[in-house]
Amino acid sequence: MINYLKNNPDNVSSWFFTHLWMSVLPVVIGLIIALPIGWVASRYRWTYPPITNLAGLLYTIPSLALFILMPSILGTKILSPVNMVVALTVYSLALLVRVVADGLNSVAPDIRAAATAMGFSGIGRFLRVDLPIAVPVITAGLRVATVSNVSLVSVGALIGVPQLGSLFTEGFSRYIPGITLLGILLCLALALVLDALIVLGSRVLTPWQRAVAKR
Amino acid sequence: MIKFESVVKKYPDGTVAVNGLDLVAPSGKITVFVGPSGCGKTTSLRMINRMIEPTSGTIWLDDQDTGKVDASTLRRGIGYVIQHAGLFPHRTIVDNVATVPLLLGRDKKKARSQAIELMERVGLPASFAKRYPAQLSGGQQQRVGVARALAADPPVMLMDEPFSAVDPVVRAELQDEFLRLQSELGKTIIFVTHDIDEAVKLGDQVAVLKVGGTLAQLASPATLLTDPVDDFVAGFVGRDRGYRALGFESGQLDPDTEQTVKLGDDAAAVGRAARDGWSLAVDDARRPLGWVRAAALAEGKQVTPELLHRGGTLAPVSGSLRGALDAALSSPAGRGVLIDDNGALVGTVTASEVVQRIESQLAGRRNGSDG
């Protein structure tokens, strides 16, 4: 394992960084798309069941199938990383739409009423009252989406997009379990670091939550 | 002035929440909307700042038709306090208070320093400024709610059961401070409550609403208690209304001089001062401390705080006859203690003296005019 790392440092580090951005970028795009959709699901209550059910349905598509189908849907090359990013964005979106809607719904009716009565306009209330209060719920969803993406990216090795998953296929084809183990450890480390970063970011954004805990 | 002109709120399912409300809430006064659940009091309140749009009719704010201005602009000019305060949990207390001035685009620093002044005005220490709402008690949160509503100095305030979620002691405290604040500020206030006692205590005028959203009676609290317009209002105003109406009856009493004792006085002094076996202990500023039973003090013993009976209430001499009567009835000596504005003893009255005063006053009114 160590030997492999010594002999192929450039490969492994470039795979690591590919794996990193392929895990993170879809979550970011997914969140940006999920915010307005989640807002609709929370603002117009009758849209909540169809929107969240549809989102849930997306998540049931097998990842390998989606990776393979992407080029024919998007017209991209089979080895293009765009396929992976789009497919993973779909999964992130599927998770985050419900999370954003639930987060916005967690704002107490009293607080909404007060915000409206103070004279917040629709978008102002969303950005300055509803969204900040929904942060703890949304970041909980971001953690799940990010960690699950780290795992899903590795599946891309099967369709030949090089990243940490390539260590699995290489270890498997060369019968060297150490290489596979290295892949697992690096994936694990990546997932833990990203998770910790989201927790940290959430803490920075929500000092009021700690104030409650301290009481 | 706020004026309701045949205001109706009908929901699509056919429920009528407010049915043709006509009413004027005069400037600088507190108008209370009171009534049972489903009488449309909160709906009526929320139609003023258009959180609910009326189905028909007009609500005027002075000479402005509220239906013809931008809703957000309208709301920024109207203070609003709700039941559970509805504070923003993610904002510090000072930023909660400064919400509307910041929305109006005022200078941040100035808005915050004004917010801290306001906090002190509603009885919150400035040290709370950097705290979050969840770190405050319910009563403190409600004070923040009031400060937030006052922050942009709106001429009109809407208050939706602001004190009903706190315990009775804190509620009475908040009510008293609210009245003190209003005497300084003179806002035009609409106050919604389901508690008739609160309505009678706070209102300059009280609007009693019936289920189905109609106005049963609009009157001063005293009139409401003495002359309810129908059985519904009489029933809603409740029992003891004759006694409670005395709360609005002031009259000149002629208190008897009371010989007093001080802590540390001996049995002989207590015996000399006592009438009917009781004497009143006061402090150096002549503020009443409690009653001493002469017989409870053995020869040579001194008056100590443990010996004092503190059951009697104190009534301000300039206050209501209800207060004076209660002081007399609750006093262990049978003599009600009257105090001046500084809390110092003026004299004492008996229950029968107060009742005599009440009777002569009421008789005078019965014979004098048709009221």
Side-chain angles (χ1 to χ4, degrees):
Chain A
M1 189 171 95
I2 305 294
N3 281 339
Y4 186 86
L5 198 56
K6 269 185 191 155
N7 299 335
N8 306 279
D10 294 342
N11 266 355
V12 174
S13 78
S14 104
W15 289 348
F16 184 86
F17 285 107
T18 310
H19 205 112
L20 170 69
W21 73 259
M22 275 196 174
S23 308
V24 174
L25 188 62
V27 178
V28 174
I29 302 172
L31 179 64
I32 291 169
I33 303 172
L35 283 174
I37 301 177
W39 177 81
V40 169
S42 131
R43 173 71 180 76
Y44 305 98
R45 297 311 285 263
W46 61 270
T47 63
Y48 180 88
I51 288 179
T52 51
N53 285 335
L54 194 71
L57 217 59
L58 283 178
Y59 205 75
T60 62
I61 305 171
S63 53
L64 191 56
L66 196 59
F67 293 153
I68 294 167
L69 281 174
M70 270 300 152
S72 58
I73 298 170
L74 299 172
T76 43
K77 292 201 179 108
I78 187 95
L79 288 181
S80 164
V82 175
N83 300 330
M84 294 278 297
V85 170
V86 173
L88 291 173
T89 300
V90 170
Y91 288 122
S92 302
L93 184 65
L95 276 172
L96 291 176
V97 162
R98 179 186 289 270
V99 165
V100 169
D102 289 348
L104 295 176
N105 283 341
S106 74
V107 180
D110 278 345
I111 295 166
R112 287 165 185 265
T116 308
M118 297 295 119
F120 278 103
S121 57
I123 184 79
R125 199 189 84 182
F126 175 73
L127 291 176
R128 284 188 274 175
V129 180
D130 294 354
L131 195 56
I133 295 174
V135 162
V137 178
I138 294 177
T139 49
L142 283 179
R143 292 174 67 183
V144 176
T146 308
V147 170
S148 111
N149 267 3
V150 170
S151 152
L152 281 173
V153 166
S154 60
V155 177
L158 293 178
I159 56 165
V161 180
Q163 23 66 21
L164 292 179
S166 309
L167 291 169
F168 304 161
T169 45
E170 190 162 335
F172 183 69
S173 58
R174 288 165 60 186
Y175 301 107
I176 308 175
I179 300 178
T180 310
L181 191 63
L182 177 68
I184 292 172
L185 287 178
L186 287 174
C187 278
L188 206 64
L190 182 60
L192 286 174
V193 168
L194 289 176
D195 191 55
L197 284 175
I198 296 172
V199 172
L200 196 73
S202 173
R203 282 174 69 95
V204 171
L205 284 174
T206 60
W208 49 283
Q209 285 253 309
R210 282 197 305 290
V212 179
K214 251 193 316 207
R215 190 164 70 126
Chain B
M1 177 205 66
I2 301 165
K3 188 169 157 201
F4 283 73
E5 228 172 52
S6 15
V7 174
V8 173
K9 179 65 194 179
K10 226 181 255 171
Y11 285 102
D13 66 358
T15 330
V16 179
V18 177
N19 197 358
L21 187 60
D22 283 298
L23 177 147
V24 173
S27 298
K29 301 282 182 204
I30 303 173
T31 300
V32 180
F33 289 179
V34 68
S37 300
C39 72
K41 52 190 189 294
T42 295
T43 308
S44 301
L45 182 84
R46 290 186 165 197
M47 283 194 287
I48 298 170
N49 68 354
R50 288 179 52 199
M51 290 172 70
I52 298 174
E53 297 281 352
T55 312
S56 66
T58 314
I59 300 172
W60 298 86
L61 207 63
D62 294 325
D63 48 9
Q64 172 82 65
D65 177 351
T66 54
K68 294 210 167 94
V69 276
D70 171 63
S72 292
T73 314
L74 175 74
R75 290 173 191 147
R76 287 171 199 177
I78 298 178
Y80 192 82
V81 187
I82 61 177
Q83 186 170 0
H84 298 282
L87 301 181
F88 304 131
H90 61 300
R91 292 190 167 189
T92 56
I93 299 305
V94 62
D95 282 351
N96 261 286
V97 175
T99 300
V100 182
L102 292 177
L103 269 177
L104 291 168
R106 302 218 181 126
D107 179 61
K108 230 177 186 172
K109 236 176 151 174
K110 211 169 153 193
R112 288 203 174 124
S113 72
Q114 279 174 347
I116 289 175
E117 277 170 37
L118 256 176
M119 284 173 56
E120 286 173 340
R121 192 149 193 189
V122 299
L124 289 166
S127 60
F128 279 17
K130 292 283 170 218
R131 295 197 188 179
Y132 289 95
Q135 293 169 296
L136 269 55
S137 72
Q140 290 165 340
Q141 289 190 25
Q142 208 48 263
R143 286 169 200 263
V144 179
V146 172
R148 181 174 66 173
L150 287 170
D153 198 20
V156 173
M157 297 250 289
L158 308 180
M159 309 182 78
D160 191 358
E161 309 218 12
F163 308 140
S164 57
V166 290
D167 67 68
V169 176
V170 175
R171 189 184 312 147
E173 219 175 273
L174 288 172
Q175 288 169 340
D176 292 340
E177 280 182 42
F178 167 65
L179 286 176
R180 178 183 55 76
L181 209 60
Q182 166 66 359
S183 71
E184 293 167 14
L185 300 173
K187 303 281 183 195
T188 307
I189 295 174
I190 307 273
F191 190 107
V192 164
T193 179
H194 61 264
D195 176 0
I196 184 69
D197 289 323
E198 185 168 66
V200 163
K201 177 174 180 184
L202 300 181
D204 292 307
Q205 62 169 0
V206 178
V208 183
L209 301 173
K210 261 190 237 195
V211 176
T214 53
L215 181 63
Q217 186 169 8
L218 176 68
S220 72
T223 310
L224 207 61
L225 288 167
T226 50
D227 194 12
V229 75
D230 59 16
D231 286 346
F232 169 77
V233 178
F236 193 75
V237 168
R239 301 152 73 93
D240 308 329
R241 55 181 179 268
Y243 178 61
R244 279 155 52 201
L246 287 179
F248 302 98
E249 194 76 38
S250 56
Q252 198 56 55
L253 288 163
D254 187 19
D256 305 327
T257 317
E258 187 73 34
Q259 301 297 322
T260 57
V261 295
K262 288 193 170 137
L263 291 179
D265 282 2
D266 60 15
V270 172
R272 275 197 303 278
R275 264 197 293 156
D276 301 336
W278 291 84
S279 54
L280 182 66
V282 295
D283 66 8
D284 291 337
R286 287 189 57 76
R287 284 189 297 251
L289 296 172
W291 292 92
V292 198
R293 197 156 67 91
L297 212 60
E299 190 87 22
K301 291 278 182 189
Q302 295 185 334
V303 178
T304 57
E306 295 77 46
L307 280 173
L308 297 178
H309 291 258
R310 297 159 201 269
T313 56
L314 306 175
V317 69
S318 56
S320 70
L321 291 175
R322 178 183 176 173
L325 183 58
D326 188 71
L329 292 174
S330 62
S331 165
R335 305 196 291 278
V337 179
L338 299 182
I339 52 174
D340 64 16
D341 292 341
N342 302 318
L345 174 70
V346 175
T348 56
V349 286
T350 62
S352 67
E353 283 167 347
V354 181
V355 170
Q356 262 171 30
R357 178 74 228 167
I358 294 166
E359 285 192 324
S360 75
Q361 229 162 276
L362 295 183
R365 202 168 312 154
R366 270 195 298 275
N367 302 332
S369 69
D370 62 347

